[in-house]
PDB file of all heavy atoms in Angstrom:
ATOM      1  N   TYR A 156     141.833  97.693 188.751  1.00  0.00           N
ATOM      2  CA  TYR A 156     143.165  98.175 189.088  1.00  0.00           C
ATOM      3  C   TYR A 156     143.606  99.359 188.222  1.00  0.00           C
ATOM      4  O   TYR A 156     143.185  99.506 187.068  1.00  0.00           O
ATOM      5  CB  TYR A 156     144.209  97.060 188.909  1.00  0.00           C
ATOM      6  CG  TYR A 156     144.044  95.915 189.866  1.00  0.00           C
ATOM      7  CD1 TYR A 156     143.359  94.767 189.487  1.00  0.00           C
ATOM      8  CD2 TYR A 156     144.567  95.964 191.160  1.00  0.00           C
ATOM      9  CE1 TYR A 156     143.195  93.704 190.368  1.00  0.00           C
ATOM     10  CE2 TYR A 156     144.404  94.916 192.033  1.00  0.00           C
ATOM     11  CZ  TYR A 156     143.722  93.793 191.640  1.00  0.00           C
ATOM     12  OH  TYR A 156     143.549  92.750 192.514  1.00  0.00           O
ATOM     13  N   TYR A 157     144.493 100.182 188.815  1.00  0.00           N
ATOM     14  CA  TYR A 157     145.294 101.136 188.062  1.00  0.00           C
ATOM     15  C   TYR A 157     146.673 100.512 187.872  1.00  0.00           C
ATOM     16  O   TYR A 157     147.226  99.911 188.805  1.00  0.00           O
ATOM     17  CB  TYR A 157     145.462 102.451 188.830  1.00  0.00           C
ATOM     18  CG  TYR A 157     144.185 103.227 189.041  1.00  0.00           C
ATOM     19  CD1 TYR A 157     143.574 103.253 190.288  1.00  0.00           C
ATOM     20  CD2 TYR A 157     143.607 103.952 188.003  1.00  0.00           C
ATOM     21  CE1 TYR A 157     142.400 103.972 190.503  1.00  0.00           C
ATOM     22  CE2 TYR A 157     142.435 104.670 188.201  1.00  0.00           C
ATOM     23  CZ  TYR A 157     141.839 104.678 189.446  1.00  0.00           C
ATOM     24  OH  TYR A 157     140.688 105.383 189.660  1.00  0.00           O
ATOM     25  N   TYR A 158     147.262 100.677 186.685  1.00  0.00           N
ATOM     26  CA  TYR A 158     148.601 100.164 186.404  1.00  0.00           C
ATOM     27  C   TYR A 158     149.544 101.353 186.270  1.00  0.00           C
ATOM     28  O   TYR A 158     149.331 102.233 185.424  1.00  0.00           O
ATOM     29  CB  TYR A 158     148.589  99.314 185.129  1.00  0.00           C
ATOM     30  CG  TYR A 158     147.687  98.109 185.252  1.00  0.00           C
ATOM     31  CD1 TYR A 158     146.346  98.179 184.879  1.00  0.00           C
ATOM     32  CD2 TYR A 158     148.163  96.909 185.763  1.00  0.00           C
ATOM     33  CE1 TYR A 158     145.510  97.077 185.007  1.00  0.00           C
ATOM     34  CE2 TYR A 158     147.332  95.800 185.893  1.00  0.00           C
ATOM     35  CZ  TYR A 158     146.007  95.897 185.517  1.00  0.00           C
ATOM     36  OH  TYR A 158     145.178  94.806 185.657  1.00  0.00           O
ATOM     37  N   ILE A 159     150.553 101.404 187.127  1.00  0.00           N
ATOM     38  CA  ILE A 159     151.467 102.540 187.160  1.00  0.00           C
ATOM     39  C   ILE A 159     152.906 102.034 187.072  1.00  0.00           C
ATOM     40  O   ILE A 159     153.199 100.889 187.434  1.00  0.00           O
ATOM     41  CB  ILE A 159     151.286 103.373 188.447  1.00  0.00           C
ATOM     42  CG1 ILE A 159     151.607 102.545 189.710  1.00  0.00           C
ATOM     43  CG2 ILE A 159     149.850 103.903 188.542  1.00  0.00           C
ATOM     44  CD1 ILE A 159     151.540 103.348 191.015  1.00  0.00           C
ATOM     45  N   ASN A 160     153.804 102.890 186.588  1.00  0.00           N
ATOM     46  CA  ASN A 160     155.206 102.474 186.515  1.00  0.00           C
ATOM     47  C   ASN A 160     156.144 103.676 186.534  1.00  0.00           C
ATOM     48  O   ASN A 160     155.724 104.831 186.390  1.00  0.00           O
ATOM     49  CB  ASN A 160     155.464 101.596 185.287  1.00  0.00           C
ATOM     50  CG  ASN A 160     155.225 102.319 183.974  1.00  0.00           C
ATOM     51  OD1 ASN A 160     155.011 103.521 183.943  1.00  0.00           O
ATOM     52  ND2 ASN A 160     155.252 101.583 182.873  1.00  0.00           N
ATOM     53  N   ASN A 161     157.414 103.356 186.754  1.00  0.00           N
ATOM     54  CA  ASN A 161     158.499 104.303 186.567  1.00  0.00           C
ATOM     55  C   ASN A 161     159.649 103.534 185.931  1.00  0.00           C
ATOM     56  O   ASN A 161     159.449 102.420 185.436  1.00  0.00           O
ATOM     57  CB  ASN A 161     158.896 104.983 187.896  1.00  0.00           C
ATOM     58  CG  ASN A 161     159.308 103.997 188.974  1.00  0.00           C
ATOM     59  OD1 ASN A 161     159.687 102.852 188.685  1.00  0.00           O
ATOM     60  ND2 ASN A 161     159.221 104.415 190.221  1.00  0.00           N
ATOM     61  N   SER A 162     160.844 104.074 185.932  1.00  0.00           N
ATOM     62  CA  SER A 162     161.960 103.413 185.250  1.00  0.00           C
ATOM     63  C   SER A 162     162.431 102.153 185.965  1.00  0.00           C
ATOM     64  O   SER A 162     163.173 101.351 185.393  1.00  0.00           O
ATOM     65  CB  SER A 162     163.134 104.387 185.114  1.00  0.00           C
ATOM     66  OG  SER A 162     163.565 104.825 186.408  1.00  0.00           O
ATOM     67  N   LYS A 163     161.959 101.932 187.210  1.00  0.00           N
ATOM     68  CA  LYS A 163     162.456 100.803 188.001  1.00  0.00           C
ATOM     69  C   LYS A 163     161.473  99.642 188.113  1.00  0.00           C
ATOM     70  O   LYS A 163     161.885  98.497 188.245  1.00  0.00           O
ATOM     71  CB  LYS A 163     162.832 101.287 189.401  1.00  0.00           C
ATOM     72  CG  LYS A 163     163.984 102.290 189.419  1.00  0.00           C
ATOM     73  CD  LYS A 163     164.306 102.728 190.831  1.00  0.00           C
ATOM     74  CE  LYS A 163     165.463 103.719 190.841  1.00  0.00           C
ATOM     75  NZ  LYS A 163     165.774 104.197 192.219  1.00  0.00           N
ATOM     76  N   CYS A 164     160.177  99.953 188.106  1.00  0.00           N
ATOM     77  CA  CYS A 164     159.209  98.870 188.325  1.00  0.00           C
ATOM     78  C   CYS A 164     157.826  99.242 187.827  1.00  0.00           C
ATOM     79  O   CYS A 164     157.545 100.409 187.529  1.00  0.00           O
ATOM     80  CB  CYS A 164     159.145  98.498 189.808  1.00  0.00           C
ATOM     81  SG  CYS A 164     158.458  99.814 190.851  1.00  0.00           S
ATOM     82  N   SER A 165     156.957  98.239 187.765  1.00  0.00           N
ATOM     83  CA  SER A 165     155.529  98.426 187.461  1.00  0.00           C
ATOM     84  C   SER A 165     154.710  97.926 188.644  1.00  0.00           C
ATOM     85  O   SER A 165     155.015  96.875 189.216  1.00  0.00           O
ATOM     86  CB  SER A 165     155.136  97.644 186.199  1.00  0.00           C
ATOM     87  OG  SER A 165     155.790  98.152 185.062  1.00  0.00           O
ATOM     88  N   LEU A 166     153.686  98.690 189.009  1.00  0.00           N
ATOM     89  CA  LEU A 166     152.837  98.337 190.139  1.00  0.00           C
ATOM     90  C   LEU A 166     151.380  98.313 189.711  1.00  0.00           C
ATOM     91  O   LEU A 166     150.989  98.939 188.729  1.00  0.00           O
ATOM     92  CB  LEU A 166     153.013  99.348 191.279  1.00  0.00           C
ATOM     93  CG  LEU A 166     154.401  99.477 191.901  1.00  0.00           C
ATOM     94  CD1 LEU A 166     154.402 100.585 192.937  1.00  0.00           C
ATOM     95  CD2 LEU A 166     154.835  98.172 192.535  1.00  0.00           C
ATOM     96  N   CYS A 167     150.603  97.620 190.506  1.00  0.00           N
ATOM     97  CA  CYS A 167     149.182  97.441 190.267  1.00  0.00           C
ATOM     98  C   CYS A 167     148.464  97.926 191.539  1.00  0.00           C
ATOM     99  O   CYS A 167     148.621  97.335 192.609  1.00  0.00           O
ATOM    100  CB  CYS A 167     148.953  95.957 190.020  1.00  0.00           C
ATOM    101  SG  CYS A 167     147.349  95.510 189.474  1.00  0.00           S
ATOM    102  N   VAL A 168     147.700  99.038 191.435  1.00  0.00           N
ATOM    103  CA  VAL A 168     147.053  99.648 192.593  1.00  0.00           C
ATOM    104  C   VAL A 168     145.564  99.317 192.567  1.00  0.00           C
ATOM    105  O   VAL A 168     144.888  99.575 191.569  1.00  0.00           O
ATOM    106  CB  VAL A 168     147.243 101.181 192.597  1.00  0.00           C
ATOM    107  CG1 VAL A 168     146.548 101.810 193.795  1.00  0.00           C
ATOM    108  CG2 VAL A 168     148.733 101.525 192.600  1.00  0.00           C
ATOM    109  N   PRO A 169     145.022  98.761 193.651  1.00  0.00           N
ATOM    110  CA  PRO A 169     143.614  98.341 193.653  1.00  0.00           C
ATOM    111  C   PRO A 169     142.645  99.524 193.683  1.00  0.00           C
ATOM    112  O   PRO A 169     142.911 100.540 194.329  1.00  0.00           O
ATOM    113  CB  PRO A 169     143.498  97.516 194.935  1.00  0.00           C
ATOM    114  CG  PRO A 169     144.550  98.087 195.834  1.00  0.00           C
ATOM    115  CD  PRO A 169     145.693  98.464 194.931  1.00  0.00           C
ATOM    116  N   LYS A 170     141.516  99.379 192.994  1.00  0.00           N
ATOM    117  CA  LYS A 170     140.451 100.365 193.058  1.00  0.00           C
ATOM    118  C   LYS A 170     139.480 100.072 194.197  1.00  0.00           C
ATOM    119  O   LYS A 170     138.730 100.948 194.618  1.00  0.00           O
ATOM    120  CB  LYS A 170     139.669 100.387 191.734  1.00  0.00           C
ATOM    121  CG  LYS A 170     140.449 100.958 190.559  1.00  0.00           C
ATOM    122  CD  LYS A 170     139.577 101.037 189.318  1.00  0.00           C
ATOM    123  CE  LYS A 170     140.306 101.707 188.174  1.00  0.00           C
ATOM    124  NZ  LYS A 170     139.459 101.823 186.951  1.00  0.00           N
ATOM    125  N   LYS A 171     139.519  98.828 194.670  1.00  0.00           N
ATOM    126  CA  LYS A 171     138.633  98.424 195.762  1.00  0.00           C
ATOM    127  C   LYS A 171     139.473  97.803 196.867  1.00  0.00           C
ATOM    128  O   LYS A 171     140.421  97.059 196.610  1.00  0.00           O
ATOM    129  CB  LYS A 171     137.583  97.432 195.252  1.00  0.00           C
ATOM    130  CG  LYS A 171     136.677  98.025 194.169  1.00  0.00           C
ATOM    131  CD  LYS A 171     135.706  97.014 193.630  1.00  0.00           C
ATOM    132  CE  LYS A 171     134.719  97.634 192.653  1.00  0.00           C
ATOM    133  NZ  LYS A 171     135.335  98.169 191.448  1.00  0.00           N
ATOM    134  N   LYS A 172     139.110  98.096 198.112  1.00  0.00           N
ATOM    135  CA  LYS A 172     140.009  97.765 199.218  1.00  0.00           C
ATOM    136  C   LYS A 172     140.075  96.276 199.537  1.00  0.00           C
ATOM    137  O   LYS A 172     140.940  95.865 200.310  1.00  0.00           O
ATOM    138  CB  LYS A 172     139.630  98.560 200.468  1.00  0.00           C
ATOM    139  CG  LYS A 172     138.272  98.274 201.052  1.00  0.00           C
ATOM    140  CD  LYS A 172     138.029  99.206 202.230  1.00  0.00           C
ATOM    141  CE  LYS A 172     136.662  98.984 202.869  1.00  0.00           C
ATOM    142  NZ  LYS A 172     136.401  99.914 203.979  1.00  0.00           N
ATOM    143  N   HIS A 173     139.201  95.443 198.950  1.00  0.00           N
ATOM    144  CA  HIS A 173     139.336  94.006 199.194  1.00  0.00           C
ATOM    145  C   HIS A 173     140.433  93.393 198.309  1.00  0.00           C
ATOM    146  O   HIS A 173     140.773  92.224 198.473  1.00  0.00           O
ATOM    147  CB  HIS A 173     137.997  93.287 198.983  1.00  0.00           C
ATOM    148  CG  HIS A 173     137.449  93.409 197.603  1.00  0.00           C
ATOM    149  ND1 HIS A 173     136.473  94.312 197.271  1.00  0.00           N
ATOM    150  CD2 HIS A 173     137.731  92.736 196.461  1.00  0.00           C
ATOM    151  CE1 HIS A 173     136.177  94.198 195.988  1.00  0.00           C
ATOM    152  NE2 HIS A 173     136.933  93.239 195.475  1.00  0.00           N
ATOM    153  N   ASN A 174     140.961  94.175 197.359  1.00  0.00           N
ATOM    154  CA  ASN A 174     142.080  93.709 196.545  1.00  0.00           C
ATOM    155  C   ASN A 174     143.408  94.181 197.133  1.00  0.00           C
ATOM    156  O   ASN A 174     143.436  95.035 198.021  1.00  0.00           O
ATOM    157  CB  ASN A 174     141.935  94.202 195.100  1.00  0.00           C
ATOM    158  CG  ASN A 174     140.775  93.531 194.389  1.00  0.00           C
ATOM    159  OD1 ASN A 174     140.483  92.371 194.637  1.00  0.00           O
ATOM    160  ND2 ASN A 174     140.093  94.266 193.520  1.00  0.00           N
ATOM    161  N   LYS A 175     144.510  93.658 196.608  1.00  0.00           N
ATOM    162  CA  LYS A 175     145.838  93.968 197.129  1.00  0.00           C
ATOM    163  C   LYS A 175     146.654  94.756 196.108  1.00  0.00           C
ATOM    164  O   LYS A 175     146.258  94.903 194.954  1.00  0.00           O
ATOM    165  CB  LYS A 175     146.574  92.672 197.500  1.00  0.00           C
ATOM    166  CG  LYS A 175     145.890  91.841 198.575  1.00  0.00           C
ATOM    167  CD  LYS A 175     146.653  90.564 198.838  1.00  0.00           C
ATOM    168  CE  LYS A 175     146.102  89.804 200.042  1.00  0.00           C
ATOM    169  NZ  LYS A 175     144.715  89.348 199.837  1.00  0.00           N
ATOM    170  N   PHE A 176     147.811  95.262 196.550  1.00  0.00           N
ATOM    171  CA  PHE A 176     148.777  95.899 195.658  1.00  0.00           C
ATOM    172  C   PHE A 176     149.715  94.822 195.103  1.00  0.00           C
ATOM    173  O   PHE A 176     150.131  93.925 195.835  1.00  0.00           O
ATOM    174  CB  PHE A 176     149.622  96.926 196.415  1.00  0.00           C
ATOM    175  CG  PHE A 176     148.863  98.126 196.924  1.00  0.00           C
ATOM    176  CD1 PHE A 176     148.102  98.061 198.083  1.00  0.00           C
ATOM    177  CD2 PHE A 176     148.931  99.338 196.253  1.00  0.00           C
ATOM    178  CE1 PHE A 176     147.425  99.166 198.559  1.00  0.00           C
ATOM    179  CE2 PHE A 176     148.259 100.455 196.712  1.00  0.00           C
ATOM    180  CZ  PHE A 176     147.494 100.368 197.865  1.00  0.00           C
ATOM    181  N   TYR A 177     150.072  94.969 193.811  1.00  0.00           N
ATOM    182  CA  TYR A 177     150.967  93.998 193.181  1.00  0.00           C
ATOM    183  C   TYR A 177     152.157  94.705 192.540  1.00  0.00           C
ATOM    184  O   TYR A 177     152.075  95.882 192.156  1.00  0.00           O
ATOM    185  CB  TYR A 177     150.227  93.203 192.098  1.00  0.00           C
ATOM    186  CG  TYR A 177     149.209  92.233 192.629  1.00  0.00           C
ATOM    187  CD1 TYR A 177     147.933  92.652 192.990  1.00  0.00           C
ATOM    188  CD2 TYR A 177     149.507  90.881 192.769  1.00  0.00           C
ATOM    189  CE1 TYR A 177     146.987  91.757 193.487  1.00  0.00           C
ATOM    190  CE2 TYR A 177     148.572  89.967 193.252  1.00  0.00           C
ATOM    191  CZ  TYR A 177     147.316  90.419 193.603  1.00  0.00           C
ATOM    192  OH  TYR A 177     146.382  89.535 194.085  1.00  0.00           O
ATOM    193  N   ILE A 178     153.259  93.962 192.409  1.00  0.00           N
ATOM    194  CA  ILE A 178     154.437  94.422 191.673  1.00  0.00           C
ATOM    195  C   ILE A 178     154.772  93.383 190.608  1.00  0.00           C
ATOM    196  O   ILE A 178     154.557  92.176 190.805  1.00  0.00           O
ATOM    197  CB  ILE A 178     155.644  94.646 192.618  1.00  0.00           C
ATOM    198  CG1 ILE A 178     156.789  95.326 191.870  1.00  0.00           C
ATOM    199  CG2 ILE A 178     156.096  93.330 193.267  1.00  0.00           C
ATOM    200  CD1 ILE A 178     157.905  95.803 192.798  1.00  0.00           C
ATOM    201  N   SER A 179     155.240  93.858 189.458  1.00  0.00           N
ATOM    202  CA  SER A 179     155.593  92.949 188.372  1.00  0.00           C
ATOM    203  C   SER A 179     157.041  92.502 188.508  1.00  0.00           C
ATOM    204  O   SER A 179     157.956  93.321 188.570  1.00  0.00           O
ATOM    205  CB  SER A 179     155.403  93.657 187.021  1.00  0.00           C
ATOM    206  OG  SER A 179     155.753  92.804 185.957  1.00  0.00           O
ATOM    207  N   LYS A 180     157.225  91.176 188.609  1.00  0.00           N
ATOM    208  CA  LYS A 180     158.573  90.601 188.712  1.00  0.00           C
ATOM    209  C   LYS A 180     158.690  89.451 187.713  1.00  0.00           C
ATOM    210  O   LYS A 180     157.905  88.503 187.763  1.00  0.00           O
ATOM    211  CB  LYS A 180     158.854  90.087 190.125  1.00  0.00           C
ATOM    212  CG  LYS A 180     159.047  91.195 191.147  1.00  0.00           C
ATOM    213  CD  LYS A 180     159.451  90.616 192.501  1.00  0.00           C
ATOM    214  CE  LYS A 180     159.708  91.715 193.524  1.00  0.00           C
ATOM    215  NZ  LYS A 180     160.119  91.145 194.842  1.00  0.00           N
ATOM    216  N   ASN A 181     159.648  89.573 186.815  1.00  0.00           N
ATOM    217  CA  ASN A 181     159.895  88.532 185.810  1.00  0.00           C
ATOM    218  C   ASN A 181     158.631  88.188 185.021  1.00  0.00           C
ATOM    219  O   ASN A 181     158.337  87.033 184.739  1.00  0.00           O
ATOM    220  CB  ASN A 181     160.452  87.265 186.482  1.00  0.00           C
ATOM    221  CG  ASN A 181     161.736  87.526 187.231  1.00  0.00           C
ATOM    222  OD1 ASN A 181     162.615  88.252 186.749  1.00  0.00           O
ATOM    223  ND2 ASN A 181     161.857  86.958 188.423  1.00  0.00           N
ATOM    224  N   GLY A 182     157.846  89.242 184.732  1.00  0.00           N
ATOM    225  CA  GLY A 182     156.640  89.039 183.942  1.00  0.00           C
ATOM    226  C   GLY A 182     155.446  88.523 184.711  1.00  0.00           C
ATOM    227  O   GLY A 182     154.387  88.293 184.139  1.00  0.00           O
ATOM    228  N   GLU A 183     155.592  88.347 186.031  1.00  0.00           N
ATOM    229  CA  GLU A 183     154.495  87.856 186.872  1.00  0.00           C
ATOM    230  C   GLU A 183     154.139  88.912 187.917  1.00  0.00           C
ATOM    231  O   GLU A 183     155.005  89.646 188.402  1.00  0.00           O
ATOM    232  CB  GLU A 183     154.911  86.554 187.582  1.00  0.00           C
ATOM    233  CG  GLU A 183     155.247  85.401 186.644  1.00  0.00           C
ATOM    234  CD  GLU A 183     154.027  84.851 185.927  1.00  0.00           C
ATOM    235  OE1 GLU A 183     152.913  85.002 186.482  1.00  0.00           O
ATOM    236  OE2 GLU A 183     154.185  84.303 184.827  1.00  0.00           O
TER     237      GLU A 183
END
Side-chain angles (χ1 to χ4, degrees):
Y156 294 96
Y157 295 105
Y158 298 91
I159 62 176
N160 63 8
N161 58 21
S162 60
K163 296 180 179 178
C164 67
S165 295
L166 298 176
C167 189
V168 179
K170 290 184 175 181
K171 299 177 174 63
K172 64 183 180 182
H173 61 261
N174 291 326
K175 299 178 172 63
F176 294 80
Y177 289 82
I178 189 169
S179 179
K180 288 185 177 181
N181 301 318
E183 299 290 334

